Amino acid sequence: GSFGCSCALAAWASRQRLLRNELTHRVKNTLMAIQSIVQLTWRRSTSPEQFIERLNGRIGALAQAHNLLSETEWQGADLRSLIVGQTDGYAGKIPSRLHLHGEAVLLPPHVATPFGMVLHELAINAAKYGALSGDKGTVDLSWQVDNEGGARILTAIWQEQNGPPVQKPPAEGFGSRLIREGLPRAAVEHEFRPEGVRCTIKVGIDPAPGETAI
């Protein structure tokens, strides 16, 4: 009767408050991320055209990760879908140049968004300077999940090969810094090896404390 109805209404109201709080938190974090991207991209750009190109790509990468998360009501993002979405503009027309090896993995929101940004930077660098800039280069991207001390750890390896001679940039740009430091609490090795750029990423993929779906 009325008691059951009141309980249902109370539960609905509580759920709505949770949704509003979560949405406010995520919008605030996203806007702060965009603000940081704009400022740092501007500082490292040499022309307005370069600034616009780089900014559009980075905000697009952020949006792609958010789209995947919204499809699951922020439960997480499928790693393979995230990879394909972030690399499609650079290897999508020639899928055979991107080799993916790994199990199905659902990345929690706090990992998926920055991981998408890192993938974008790796892909655009490969398209401009690395294995995807020529006709024969390929990228192998493999990953696995291991249990270490009761925590799930994702290890992903981006390996380029058969591209032009590898040259380490004389100075670290924002993109390289994003690859190395953009994924919180991750161990990242970004190496410029003779056979091709190699990036190894190790990061925990358990939900963050207090992380809930909306």
Side-chain angles (χ1 to χ4, degrees):
S2 60
F3 177 74
C5 183
S6 297
C7 287
L9 286 172
W12 179 85
S14 176
R15 174 67 173 169
Q16 293 306 303
R17 285 194 296 271
L18 174 64
L19 293 177
R20 285 195 297 271
N21 291 340
E22 289 287 339
L23 186 59
T24 299
H25 174 70
R26 286 175 177 148
V27 168
K28 180 180 178 180
N29 284 349
T30 299
L31 291 174
M32 289 176 63
I34 291 173
Q35 185 179 40
S36 177
I37 289 169
V38 170
Q39 291 175 348
L40 291 171
T41 301
W42 173 253
R43 289 179 192 172
R44 300 300 179 97
S45 297
T46 57
S47 69
E49 292 77 16
Q50 186 185 72
F51 167 70
I52 291 170
E53 178 188 2
R54 290 178 174 178
L55 183 63
N56 282 342
R58 286 164 180 160
I59 292 180
L62 188 65
Q64 193 270 345
H66 276 244
N67 285 341
L68 281 179
L69 289 168
S70 66
E71 290 173 3
T72 66
E73 296 187 343
W74 291 80
Q75 296 282 350
D78 175 68
L79 175 57
R80 183 177 290 265
S81 298
L82 185 70
I83 293 168
V84 171
Q86 297 293 357
T87 60
D88 185 63
Y90 310 103
K93 295 179 181 178
I94 314 175
S96 62
R97 299 183 65 181
L98 178 65
H99 307 149
L100 304 181
H101 315 277
E103 61 196 279
V105 178
L106 193 69
L107 299 180
H110 77 282
V111 174
T113 302
F115 201 99
M117 299 292 293
V118 171
L119 287 169
H120 168 77
E121 296 301 326
L122 287 169
I124 196 169
N125 284 350
K128 287 188 172 183
Y129 317 111
L132 299 180
S133 65
D135 297 328
K136 298 180 181 179
T138 59
V139 175
D140 284 320
L141 181 49
S142 60
W143 65 89
Q144 67 181 48
V145 177
D146 298 297
N147 193 301
E148 297 183 11
R152 291 186 306 146
I153 305 297
L154 170 71
T155 301
I157 300 175
W158 172 286
Q159 177 66 64
E160 300 180 28
Q161 52 197 4
N162 299 322
V166 176
Q167 294 184 341
K168 185 176 182 178
E172 183 179 66
F174 175 49
S176 294
R177 181 181 170 190
L178 221 170
I179 291 170
R180 192 165 47 83
E181 302 176 3
L183 195 53
R185 294 176 294 281
V188 179
E189 277 190 280
H190 189 205
E191 305 171 273
F192 295 85
R193 297 184 172 187
E195 66 272 19
V197 170
R198 180 183 178 92
C199 185
T200 304
I201 301 168
K202 288 189 69 172
V203 63
I205 58 169
D206 290 323
E211 189 169 67
T212 57
I214 64 173

